[in-house]
Amino acid sequence: PDVEYGMVDLSQGNWEGAKATYICINNYALVGISTRMCESTGLWSGVQPECVFGKSADRCIYKICPTSSYPDI
């Protein structure tokens, strides 16, 4: 599950129980949950996170809001 302006660590593979961990490139902030699990259905759990530029990371997406404030960039 790729994310624009970021990377996903799939080092555990893509089989049931594996974890995907998301990070964003410089000046982008992750909005959403940073990890998803591969489920027995063959789908990834939860909602795809998003990398947003700068202060726009303060907005809420998919009813998941950031838990801390982001510095001015």
Side-chain angles (χ1 to χ4, degrees):
D2 293 328
V3 62
E4 189 173 20
Y5 304 112
M7 296 171 272
V8 60
D9 175 6
L10 292 171
S11 60
Q12 293 184 358
N14 60 346
W15 49 83
E16 183 179 355
K19 179 172 68 171
T21 303
Y22 295 83
I23 58 171
C24 297
I25 62 173
N26 289 341
N27 298 323
Y28 284 80
L30 188 73
V31 177
I33 306 296
S34 64
T35 59
R36 298 172 78 188
M37 300 296 290
C38 185
E39 300 180 330
S40 61
T41 60
L43 301 174
W44 292 98
S45 65
V47 176
Q48 176 84 18
E50 184 177 11
C51 293
V52 295
F53 184 76
K55 292 178 72 172
S56 62
D58 291 333
R59 65 190 174 117
C60 296
I61 296 178
Y62 307 118
K63 298 183 181 179
I64 300 171
C65 298
T67 57
S68 63
S69 60
Y70 297 95
D72 290 335
I73 297 173

